[in-house]
Protein backbone atom coordinates (compact mmCIF):
# COMPACT_ATOMS: atom_id res chain seq x y z
CA UNK A 1 0.00 0.00 0.00
CA UNK A 2 1.45 3.40 -0.98
CA UNK A 3 1.72 6.13 1.65
CA UNK A 4 -1.19 8.20 0.32
CA UNK A 5 -3.60 5.25 0.40
CA UNK A 6 -2.29 4.14 3.79
CA UNK A 7 -2.76 7.57 5.35
CA UNK A 8 -6.26 7.97 3.93
CA UNK A 9 -7.24 4.52 5.23
CA UNK A 10 -5.81 5.20 8.69
CA UNK A 11 -7.49 8.57 9.18
CA UNK A 12 -10.80 7.31 7.84
CA UNK A 13 -10.58 4.57 10.47
CA UNK A 14 -9.73 6.81 13.46
CA UNK A 15 -11.92 9.80 12.58
CA UNK A 16 -14.58 9.24 15.25
CA UNK A 17 -12.02 8.94 18.05
CA UNK A 18 -9.50 11.44 16.70
CA UNK A 19 -10.41 14.45 18.86
CA UNK A 20 -10.48 12.45 22.08
CA UNK A 21 -7.22 10.67 21.30
CA UNK A 22 -5.55 13.91 20.24
CA UNK A 23 -6.32 15.42 23.64
CA UNK A 24 -5.13 12.34 25.51
CA UNK A 25 -1.97 11.69 23.51
CA UNK A 26 -0.74 15.30 23.56
CA UNK A 27 -1.92 15.84 27.17
CA UNK A 28 -4.01 18.60 25.56
CA UNK A 29 -0.79 20.41 24.62
CA UNK A 30 -1.88 20.68 20.98
CA UNK A 31 -4.29 23.46 21.97
CA UNK A 32 -1.59 25.51 23.68
CA UNK A 33 0.72 25.00 20.68
CA UNK A 34 -1.96 26.35 18.36
CA UNK A 35 -2.69 29.25 20.69
CA UNK A 36 0.99 30.21 20.80
CA UNK A 37 1.14 29.96 17.01
CA UNK A 38 -2.00 32.06 16.53
CA UNK A 39 -0.41 34.93 18.46
CA UNK A 40 2.10 35.18 15.60
CA UNK A 41 -0.62 35.29 12.92
CA UNK A 42 -2.43 38.47 11.94
CA UNK A 43 -5.48 37.19 10.11
CA UNK A 44 -7.80 40.07 9.20
CA UNK A 45 -11.18 40.78 7.69
CA UNK A 46 -11.17 40.04 3.97
CA UNK A 47 -8.28 37.57 4.14
CA UNK A 48 -8.50 34.19 2.44
CA UNK A 49 -7.03 31.39 4.54
CA UNK A 50 -6.38 27.77 3.55
CA UNK A 51 -6.10 25.20 6.34
CA UNK A 52 -4.51 22.13 4.74
CA UNK A 53 -4.97 18.70 6.30
CA UNK A 54 -7.68 20.32 8.40
CA UNK A 55 -8.80 16.99 9.86
CA UNK A 56 -11.76 17.42 12.20
CA UNK A 57 -11.57 21.19 11.87
CA UNK A 58 -10.19 22.46 15.20
CA UNK A 59 -7.67 24.89 13.69
CA UNK A 60 -10.10 25.82 10.92
CA UNK A 61 -12.63 26.88 13.56
CA UNK A 62 -10.02 28.76 15.59
CA UNK A 63 -9.03 30.73 12.49
CA UNK A 64 -12.67 31.50 11.72
CA UNK A 65 -13.23 32.75 15.26
CA UNK A 66 -10.13 34.94 15.20
CA UNK A 67 -11.23 36.73 12.02
CA UNK A 68 -15.00 36.40 11.41
CA UNK A 69 -14.59 38.64 8.34
CA UNK A 70 -12.04 36.31 6.75
CA UNK A 71 -12.91 33.28 4.64
CA UNK A 72 -11.42 30.00 5.82
CA UNK A 73 -11.14 26.95 3.55
CA UNK A 74 -10.44 23.62 5.22
CA UNK A 75 -9.05 20.88 2.97
CA UNK A 76 -8.41 17.25 3.88
CA UNK A 77 -7.72 13.97 2.12
CA UNK A 78 -9.93 11.89 4.46
CA UNK A 79 -13.66 12.01 3.77
CA UNK A 80 -14.45 10.64 7.24
CA UNK A 81 -12.39 13.31 9.01
CA UNK A 82 -14.21 15.93 6.93
CA UNK A 83 -17.58 14.49 7.97
CA UNK A 84 -16.62 15.07 11.61
CA UNK A 85 -15.45 18.59 10.74
CA UNK A 86 -18.73 19.35 8.94
CA UNK A 87 -20.67 18.50 12.09
CA UNK A 88 -18.58 21.04 14.03
CA UNK A 89 -18.66 24.01 11.64
CA UNK A 90 -22.38 24.36 11.02
CA UNK A 91 -22.52 27.67 12.90
CA UNK A 92 -19.63 29.24 10.96
CA UNK A 93 -20.68 30.99 7.77
CA UNK A 94 -17.08 31.87 6.88
CA UNK A 95 -15.84 28.26 6.64
CA UNK A 96 -15.85 26.05 3.53
CA UNK A 97 -14.71 22.42 3.64
CA UNK A 98 -13.30 20.54 0.69
CA UNK A 99 -11.79 17.12 0.05
CA UNK A 100 -8.49 17.35 -1.79
CA UNK A 101 -4.83 16.43 -2.03
CA UNK A 102 -2.29 18.69 -0.30
CA UNK A 103 0.29 17.87 -2.96
CA UNK A 104 -2.02 18.92 -5.81
CA UNK A 105 -4.13 21.76 -4.47
CA UNK A 106 -7.28 22.57 -6.49
CA UNK A 107 -6.72 26.34 -6.41
CA UNK A 108 -5.34 29.02 -8.70
CA UNK A 109 -1.96 30.63 -8.13
CA UNK A 110 -1.80 33.54 -5.66
CA UNK A 111 -5.15 32.82 -3.99
CA UNK A 112 -4.56 32.88 -0.22
CA UNK A 113 -3.16 35.28 2.37
CA UNK A 114 -2.36 32.41 4.76
CA UNK A 115 -1.77 28.69 4.35
CA UNK A 116 -1.75 26.66 7.56
CA UNK A 117 -1.11 22.96 8.14
CA UNK A 118 -1.25 21.40 11.59
CA UNK A 119 0.13 17.91 12.21
CA UNK A 120 -0.40 16.96 8.59
CA UNK A 121 2.85 17.52 6.73
CA UNK A 122 4.53 14.42 8.12
CA UNK A 123 1.69 12.28 6.73
CA UNK A 124 2.25 13.40 3.14
CA UNK A 125 4.15 11.31 0.62
CA UNK A 126 6.30 14.22 -0.59
CA UNK A 127 6.93 17.10 1.82
CA UNK A 128 8.69 19.26 -0.76
CA UNK A 129 5.94 18.90 -3.35
CA UNK A 130 3.39 20.02 -0.77
CA UNK A 131 5.46 23.03 0.31
CA UNK A 132 5.88 24.02 -3.34
CA UNK A 133 2.09 23.87 -3.67
CA UNK A 134 1.67 26.05 -0.58
CA UNK A 135 4.01 28.59 -2.14
CA UNK A 136 2.11 28.51 -5.43
CA UNK A 137 -1.32 29.21 -3.95
CA UNK A 138 -0.14 31.93 -1.57
CA UNK A 139 -0.38 35.54 -2.66
CA UNK A 140 2.87 37.55 -2.73
CA UNK A 141 3.45 38.57 0.85
CA UNK A 142 1.39 35.62 2.06
CA UNK A 143 2.29 33.57 5.11
CA UNK A 144 2.90 29.83 5.49
CA UNK A 145 2.39 28.37 8.98
CA UNK A 146 3.38 24.75 9.69
CA UNK A 147 2.71 23.27 13.15
CA UNK A 148 4.13 19.79 13.50
CA UNK A 149 5.58 17.29 15.93
CA UNK A 150 9.34 17.51 16.15
CA UNK A 151 12.35 15.58 17.38
CA UNK A 152 13.56 17.14 20.67
CA UNK A 153 17.11 18.50 20.58
CA UNK A 154 17.90 17.27 24.09
CA UNK A 155 18.97 13.61 24.05
CA UNK A 156 17.27 12.70 27.33
CA UNK A 157 14.01 14.36 26.33
CA UNK A 158 14.25 12.66 22.94
CA UNK A 159 14.53 9.22 24.56
CA UNK A 160 11.46 9.89 26.67
CA UNK A 161 9.60 11.25 23.65
CA UNK A 162 10.54 8.18 21.61
CA UNK A 163 9.43 5.80 24.38
CA UNK A 164 6.10 7.58 24.82
CA UNK A 165 5.26 7.76 21.12
CA UNK A 166 6.66 4.31 20.31
CA UNK A 167 5.40 2.27 23.27
CA UNK A 168 2.75 4.12 25.27
CA UNK A 169 0.77 5.87 22.53
CA UNK A 170 -0.06 2.74 20.47
CA UNK A 171 -1.23 0.99 23.66
CA UNK A 172 -3.47 3.96 24.49
CA UNK A 173 -4.84 3.79 20.96
CA UNK A 174 -5.56 0.11 21.41
CA UNK A 175 -7.24 0.41 24.81
CA UNK A 176 -9.28 3.57 24.15
CA UNK A 177 -10.01 3.40 20.43
CA UNK A 178 -9.25 -0.23 19.55
CA UNK A 179 -6.75 1.02 16.94
CA UNK A 180 -3.24 -0.09 17.95
CA UNK A 181 -1.86 -0.41 14.39
CA UNK A 182 -3.17 3.01 13.35
CA UNK A 183 -1.42 4.69 16.28
CA UNK A 184 1.78 2.79 15.53
CA UNK A 185 1.71 4.68 12.21
CA UNK A 186 1.53 8.01 14.04
CA UNK A 187 4.78 7.09 15.81
CA UNK A 188 6.37 5.96 12.56
CA UNK A 189 5.45 9.18 10.76
CA UNK A 190 6.74 11.27 13.69
CA UNK A 191 10.04 9.42 14.12
CA UNK A 192 10.85 9.67 10.39
CA UNK A 193 9.93 13.34 10.02
CA UNK A 194 12.37 16.16 9.32
CA UNK A 195 14.30 17.92 12.05
CA UNK A 196 13.51 21.58 12.65
CA UNK A 197 16.57 22.78 10.66
CA UNK A 198 15.84 20.34 7.81
CA UNK A 199 12.27 21.60 7.51
CA UNK A 200 13.49 25.21 7.64
CA UNK A 201 15.90 24.56 4.78
CA UNK A 202 13.19 22.84 2.73
CA UNK A 203 10.87 25.81 3.21
CA UNK A 204 13.63 28.18 2.11
CA UNK A 205 14.37 26.05 -0.94
CA UNK A 206 10.77 26.51 -2.07
CA UNK A 207 11.33 30.28 -2.21
CA UNK A 208 10.06 31.39 1.19
CA UNK A 209 11.93 33.98 3.24
CA UNK A 210 12.20 35.04 6.90
CA UNK A 211 11.58 31.56 8.27
CA UNK A 212 10.90 31.67 12.00
CA UNK A 213 10.77 28.64 14.31
CA UNK A 214 8.74 28.47 17.52
CA UNK A 215 9.65 25.47 19.67
CA UNK A 216 7.00 23.94 21.95
CA UNK A 217 7.17 21.75 25.07
CA UNK A 218 10.88 20.89 25.18
CA UNK A 219 11.04 20.67 21.39
CA UNK A 220 8.42 17.91 21.00
CA UNK A 221 6.58 20.16 18.54
CA UNK A 222 7.47 23.24 16.51
CA UNK A 223 5.89 25.93 14.39
CA UNK A 224 7.61 27.17 11.23
CA UNK A 225 6.38 30.54 9.92
CA UNK A 226 7.57 31.80 6.52
CA UNK A 227 6.71 34.46 3.94
CA UNK A 228 6.29 34.45 0.19
CA UNK A 229 8.27 37.42 -1.17
CA UNK A 230 6.33 40.39 -2.51
CA UNK A 231 8.32 40.58 -5.73
Amino acid sequence: MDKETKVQTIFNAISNDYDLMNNIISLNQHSSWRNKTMKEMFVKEGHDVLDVCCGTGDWTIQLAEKAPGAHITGLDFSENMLEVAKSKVTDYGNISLLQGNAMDLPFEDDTFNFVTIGFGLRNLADYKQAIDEFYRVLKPGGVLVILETSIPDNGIVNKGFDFYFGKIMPKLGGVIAGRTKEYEWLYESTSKFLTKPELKNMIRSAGFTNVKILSHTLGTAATHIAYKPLG
Side-chain angles (χ1 to χ4, degrees):
M1 187 183 298
D2 63 68
K3 187 174 181 181
E4 285 189 55
T5 304
K6 183 176 183 178
V7 167
Q8 189 174 29
T9 301
I10 286 171
F11 282 92
N12 278 338
I14 67 174
S15 58
N16 289 332
D17 300 300
Y18 180 83
D19 286 342
L20 172 64
M21 289 302 300
N22 205 18
N23 289 334
I24 293 171
I25 288 169
S26 75
L27 306 177
N28 207 32
Q29 288 296 296
H30 68 99
S31 295
S32 66
W33 299 338
R34 277 201 317 272
N35 291 338
K36 183 178 177 182
T37 299
M38 290 287 285
K39 290 179 181 178
E40 302 288 329
M41 298 174 60
F42 302 98
V43 184
K44 299 178 181 178
E45 183 174 351
H47 277 174
D48 289 299
V49 182
L50 174 62
D51 186 24
V52 183
C53 300
C54 66
T56 60
D58 281 356
W59 202 357
T60 316
I61 291 169
Q62 192 170 1
L63 289 160
E65 290 177 339
K66 178 164 183 171
H71 183 259
I72 319 298
T73 300
L75 178 139
D76 201 273
F77 199 34
S78 164
E79 59 269 28
N80 289 1
M81 295 285 275
L82 282 175
E83 285 302 313
V84 177
K86 286 175 183 176
S87 71
K88 294 162 65 174
V89 305
T90 53
D91 294 332
Y92 296 89
N94 61 332
I95 291 178
S96 300
L97 297 177
L98 179 70
Q99 186 175 8
N101 190 333
M103 298 181 298
D104 185 19
L105 295 172
F107 307 107
E108 298 294 327
D109 297 356
D110 307 334
T111 298
F112 297 98
N113 300 94
F114 284 84
V115 171
T116 64
I117 179 167
F119 311 109
L121 187 62
R122 72 179 187 275
N123 292 311
L124 302 180
D126 190 324
Y127 312 140
K128 180 61 164 58
Q129 184 176 332
I131 292 171
D132 286 340
E133 277 290 274
F134 304 158
Y135 186 92
R136 180 184 67 78
V137 301
L138 274 168
K139 296 177 181 179
V143 186
L144 171 64
V145 185
I146 299 173
L147 173 57
E148 189 54 90
T149 54
S150 184
I151 304 300
D153 298 321
N154 183 286
I156 296 174
V157 175
N158 189 26
K159 285 184 179 179
F161 177 80
D162 194 66
F163 177 78
Y164 177 71
F165 266 78
K167 303 296 182 182
I168 304 300
M169 185 179 66
K171 289 182 179 179
L172 287 174
V175 171
I176 297 170
R179 298 287 182 182
T180 301
K181 288 185 178 180
E182 285 81 357
Y183 285 93
E184 286 175 350
W185 160 254
L186 295 185
Y187 165 68
E188 181 183 341
S189 64
T190 297
S191 62
K192 292 182 178 180
F193 190 59
L194 304 169
T195 64
K196 288 181 280 291
E198 286 171 342
L199 179 53
K200 182 177 182 177
N201 289 336
M202 184 175 288
I203 293 169
R204 280 178 168 170
S205 72
F208 288 97
T209 59
N210 300 324
V211 184
K212 178 179 182 179
I213 301 175
L214 305 176
S215 187
H216 309 293
T217 314
L218 302 175
T220 56
T223 301
H224 288 67
I225 301 172
Y227 298 82
K228 182 174 178 176
L230 284 169

mmCIF file of all heavy atoms in Angstrom, residues 54-77:
data_model
loop_
_atom_site.group_PDB
_atom_site.id
_atom_site.type_symbol
_atom_site.label_atom_id
_atom_site.label_comp_id
_atom_site.label_asym_id
_atom_site.label_seq_id
_atom_site.Cartn_x
_atom_site.Cartn_y
_atom_site.Cartn_z
ATOM 1 N N CYS A 54 -6.916 19.697 7.316
ATOM 2 C CA CYS A 54 -7.683 20.317 8.402
ATOM 3 C C CYS A 54 -8.266 19.295 9.360
ATOM 4 O O CYS A 54 -8.679 19.651 10.467
ATOM 5 C CB CYS A 54 -8.787 21.196 7.835
ATOM 6 S SG CYS A 54 -10.092 20.285 6.947
ATOM 7 N N GLY A 55 -8.314 18.026 8.966
ATOM 8 C CA GLY A 55 -8.802 16.992 9.862
ATOM 9 C C GLY A 55 -10.221 17.247 10.319
ATOM 10 O O GLY A 55 -11.121 17.499 9.519
ATOM 11 N N THR A 56 -10.423 17.222 11.636
ATOM 12 C CA THR A 56 -11.762 17.418 12.199
ATOM 13 C C THR A 56 -12.091 18.893 12.416
ATOM 14 O O THR A 56 -13.116 19.209 13.020
ATOM 15 C CB THR A 56 -11.917 16.648 13.517
ATOM 16 O OG1 THR A 56 -10.935 17.114 14.454
ATOM 17 C CG2 THR A 56 -11.740 15.157 13.297
ATOM 18 N N GLY A 57 -11.218 19.787 11.975
ATOM 19 C CA GLY A 57 -11.569 21.193 11.873
ATOM 20 C C GLY A 57 -11.236 22.096 13.049
ATOM 21 O O GLY A 57 -11.651 23.257 13.061
ATOM 22 N N ASP A 58 -10.465 21.619 14.023
ATOM 23 C CA ASP A 58 -10.191 22.456 15.195
ATOM 24 C C ASP A 58 -9.475 23.760 14.835
ATOM 25 O O ASP A 58 -9.858 24.839 15.298
ATOM 26 C CB ASP A 58 -9.360 21.683 16.217
ATOM 27 C CG ASP A 58 -10.200 20.718 17.036
ATOM 28 O OD1 ASP A 58 -11.436 20.710 16.858
ATOM 29 O OD2 ASP A 58 -9.635 19.966 17.845
ATOM 30 N N TRP A 59 -8.408 23.664 14.045
ATOM 31 C CA TRP A 59 -7.673 24.885 13.691
ATOM 32 C C TRP A 59 -8.498 25.730 12.721
ATOM 33 O O TRP A 59 -8.490 26.952 12.790
ATOM 34 C CB TRP A 59 -6.312 24.543 13.090
ATOM 35 C CG TRP A 59 -5.322 25.681 13.184
ATOM 36 C CD1 TRP A 59 -5.547 26.943 13.671
ATOM 37 C CD2 TRP A 59 -3.947 25.660 12.809
ATOM 38 N NE1 TRP A 59 -4.400 27.700 13.616
ATOM 39 C CE2 TRP A 59 -3.408 26.935 13.089
ATOM 40 C CE3 TRP A 59 -3.119 24.694 12.249
ATOM 41 C CZ2 TRP A 59 -2.078 27.266 12.834
ATOM 42 C CZ3 TRP A 59 -1.794 25.016 12.002
ATOM 43 C CH2 TRP A 59 -1.270 26.288 12.293
ATOM 44 N N THR A 60 -9.224 25.095 11.844
ATOM 45 C CA THR A 60 -10.105 25.815 10.919
ATOM 46 C C THR A 60 -11.075 26.705 11.695
ATOM 47 O O THR A 60 -11.265 27.884 11.374
ATOM 48 C CB THR A 60 -10.901 24.824 10.058
ATOM 49 O OG1 THR A 60 -10.039 23.777 9.593
ATOM 50 C CG2 THR A 60 -11.539 25.516 8.869
ATOM 51 N N ILE A 61 -11.679 26.142 12.729
ATOM 52 C CA ILE A 61 -12.630 26.881 13.558
ATOM 53 C C ILE A 61 -11.933 28.007 14.314
ATOM 54 O O ILE A 61 -12.446 29.137 14.410
ATOM 55 C CB ILE A 61 -13.350 25.924 14.528
ATOM 56 C CG1 ILE A 61 -14.280 24.991 13.745
ATOM 57 C CG2 ILE A 61 -14.114 26.688 15.599
ATOM 58 C CD1 ILE A 61 -14.840 23.845 14.562
ATOM 59 N N GLN A 62 -10.755 27.723 14.846
ATOM 60 C CA GLN A 62 -10.022 28.759 15.587
ATOM 61 C C GLN A 62 -9.670 29.939 14.684
ATOM 62 O O GLN A 62 -9.764 31.102 15.094
ATOM 63 C CB GLN A 62 -8.756 28.150 16.194
ATOM 64 C CG GLN A 62 -8.082 29.052 17.223
ATOM 65 C CD GLN A 62 -6.986 28.333 17.987
ATOM 66 O OE1 GLN A 62 -6.701 27.148 17.754
ATOM 67 N NE2 GLN A 62 -6.355 29.036 18.905
ATOM 68 N N LEU A 63 -9.312 29.664 13.454
ATOM 69 C CA LEU A 63 -9.026 30.725 12.487
ATOM 70 C C LEU A 63 -10.285 31.536 12.170
ATOM 71 O O LEU A 63 -10.242 32.762 12.088
ATOM 72 C CB LEU A 63 -8.452 30.113 11.208
ATOM 73 C CG LEU A 63 -7.031 29.560 11.300
ATOM 74 C CD1 LEU A 63 -6.766 28.578 10.162
ATOM 75 C CD2 LEU A 63 -6.000 30.682 11.274
ATOM 76 N N ALA A 64 -11.402 30.836 12.022
ATOM 77 C CA ALA A 64 -12.669 31.501 11.715
ATOM 78 C C ALA A 64 -13.121 32.395 12.863
ATOM 79 O O ALA A 64 -13.701 33.467 12.650
ATOM 80 C CB ALA A 64 -13.743 30.473 11.394
ATOM 81 N N GLU A 65 -12.850 31.962 14.087
ATOM 82 C CA GLU A 65 -13.229 32.749 15.256
ATOM 83 C C GLU A 65 -12.326 33.963 15.436
ATOM 84 O O GLU A 65 -12.780 35.025 15.885
ATOM 85 C CB GLU A 65 -13.189 31.879 16.509
ATOM 86 C CG GLU A 65 -14.285 30.833 16.548
ATOM 87 C CD GLU A 65 -14.198 29.921 17.746
ATOM 88 O OE1 GLU A 65 -13.089 29.827 18.345
ATOM 89 O OE2 GLU A 65 -15.208 29.281 18.083
ATOM 90 N N LYS A 66 -11.066 33.815 15.068
ATOM 91 C CA LYS A 66 -10.133 34.939 15.201
ATOM 92 C C LYS A 66 -10.487 36.063 14.231
ATOM 93 O O LYS A 66 -10.342 37.245 14.561
ATOM 94 C CB LYS A 66 -8.698 34.473 14.959
ATOM 95 C CG LYS A 66 -7.675 35.607 15.043
ATOM 96 C CD LYS A 66 -6.260 35.133 15.183
ATOM 97 C CE LYS A 66 -5.312 36.325 15.340
ATOM 98 N NZ LYS A 66 -3.942 35.919 15.683
ATOM 99 N N ALA A 67 -10.925 35.722 13.042
ATOM 100 C CA ALA A 67 -11.232 36.735 12.025
ATOM 101 C C ALA A 67 -12.565 36.373 11.357
ATOM 102 O O ALA A 67 -12.582 35.769 10.282
ATOM 103 C CB ALA A 67 -10.111 36.816 10.999
ATOM 104 N N PRO A 68 -13.693 36.740 11.983
ATOM 105 C CA PRO A 68 -15.003 36.401 11.409
ATOM 106 C C PRO A 68 -15.215 36.986 10.015
ATOM 107 O O PRO A 68 -16.044 36.474 9.260
ATOM 108 C CB PRO A 68 -15.995 37.001 12.415
ATOM 109 C CG PRO A 68 -15.228 37.093 13.696
ATOM 110 C CD PRO A 68 -13.821 37.391 13.299
ATOM 111 N N GLY A 69 -14.471 38.032 9.662
ATOM 112 C CA GLY A 69 -14.593 38.640 8.338
ATOM 113 C C GLY A 69 -13.688 38.033 7.296
ATOM 114 O O GLY A 69 -13.685 38.451 6.135
ATOM 115 N N ALA A 70 -12.893 37.038 7.701
ATOM 116 C CA ALA A 70 -12.041 36.314 6.753
ATOM 117 C C ALA A 70 -12.784 35.077 6.255
ATOM 118 O O ALA A 70 -13.752 34.623 6.871
ATOM 119 C CB ALA A 70 -10.736 35.898 7.428
ATOM 120 N N HIS A 71 -12.328 34.540 5.128
ATOM 121 C CA HIS A 71 -12.906 33.285 4.635
ATOM 122 C C HIS A 71 -11.896 32.169 4.814
ATOM 123 O O HIS A 71 -10.751 32.281 4.355
ATOM 124 C CB HIS A 71 -13.316 33.368 3.176
ATOM 125 C CG HIS A 71 -13.963 32.095 2.700
ATOM 126 N ND1 HIS A 71 -13.299 31.148 1.956
ATOM 127 C CD2 HIS A 71 -15.206 31.589 2.934
ATOM 128 C CE1 HIS A 71 -14.096 30.132 1.728
ATOM 129 N NE2 HIS A 71 -15.265 30.368 2.302
ATOM 130 N N ILE A 72 -12.308 31.107 5.490
ATOM 131 C CA ILE A 72 -11.416 29.998 5.816
ATOM 132 C C ILE A 72 -11.842 28.766 5.017
ATOM 133 O O ILE A 72 -13.004 28.344 5.089
ATOM 134 C CB ILE A 72 -11.459 29.654 7.320
ATOM 135 C CG1 ILE A 72 -11.498 30.919 8.184
ATOM 136 C CG2 ILE A 72 -10.297 28.735 7.677
ATOM 137 C CD1 ILE A 72 -10.297 31.816 8.053
ATOM 138 N N THR A 73 -10.907 28.202 4.276
ATOM 139 C CA THR A 73 -11.144 26.951 3.547
ATOM 140 C C THR A 73 -10.380 25.836 4.230
ATOM 141 O O THR A 73 -9.156 25.925 4.407
ATOM 142 C CB THR A 73 -10.688 27.061 2.082
ATOM 143 O OG1 THR A 73 -11.400 28.111 1.426
ATOM 144 C CG2 THR A 73 -10.937 25.748 1.340
ATOM 145 N N GLY A 74 -11.083 24.795 4.644
ATOM 146 C CA GLY A 74 -10.439 23.615 5.216
ATOM 147 C C GLY A 74 -10.401 22.502 4.188
ATOM 148 O O GLY A 74 -11.430 22.169 3.589
ATOM 149 N N LEU A 75 -9.223 21.945 3.964
ATOM 150 C CA LEU A 75 -9.049 20.882 2.970
ATOM 151 C C LEU A 75 -8.427 19.662 3.632
ATOM 152 O O LEU A 75 -7.473 19.792 4.410
ATOM 153 C CB LEU A 75 -8.165 21.384 1.830
ATOM 154 C CG LEU A 75 -7.839 20.372 0.710
ATOM 155 C CD1 LEU A 75 -7.900 21.047 -0.664
ATOM 156 C CD2 LEU A 75 -6.460 19.743 0.913
ATOM 157 N N ASP A 76 -8.968 18.489 3.330
ATOM 158 C CA ASP A 76 -8.407 17.254 3.876
ATOM 159 C C ASP A 76 -8.598 16.116 2.888
ATOM 160 O O ASP A 76 -9.535 16.117 2.076
ATOM 161 C CB ASP A 76 -9.060 16.901 5.215
ATOM 162 C CG ASP A 76 -8.188 15.968 6.040
ATOM 163 O OD1 ASP A 76 -8.278 14.731 5.861
ATOM 164 O OD2 ASP A 76 -7.398 16.467 6.865
ATOM 165 N N PHE A 77 -7.719 15.134 2.990
ATOM 166 C CA PHE A 77 -7.721 13.967 2.117
ATOM 167 C C PHE A 77 -8.767 12.941 2.553
ATOM 168 O O PHE A 77 -9.300 12.194 1.745
ATOM 169 C CB PHE A 77 -6.319 13.354 2.160
ATOM 170 C CG PHE A 77 -5.983 12.448 1.016
ATOM 171 C CD1 PHE A 77 -6.476 12.676 -0.254
ATOM 172 C CD2 PHE A 77 -5.126 11.371 1.204
ATOM 173 C CE1 PHE A 77 -6.146 11.849 -1.321
ATOM 174 C CE2 PHE A 77 -4.782 10.534 0.142
ATOM 175 C CZ PHE A 77 -5.303 10.780 -1.118
#
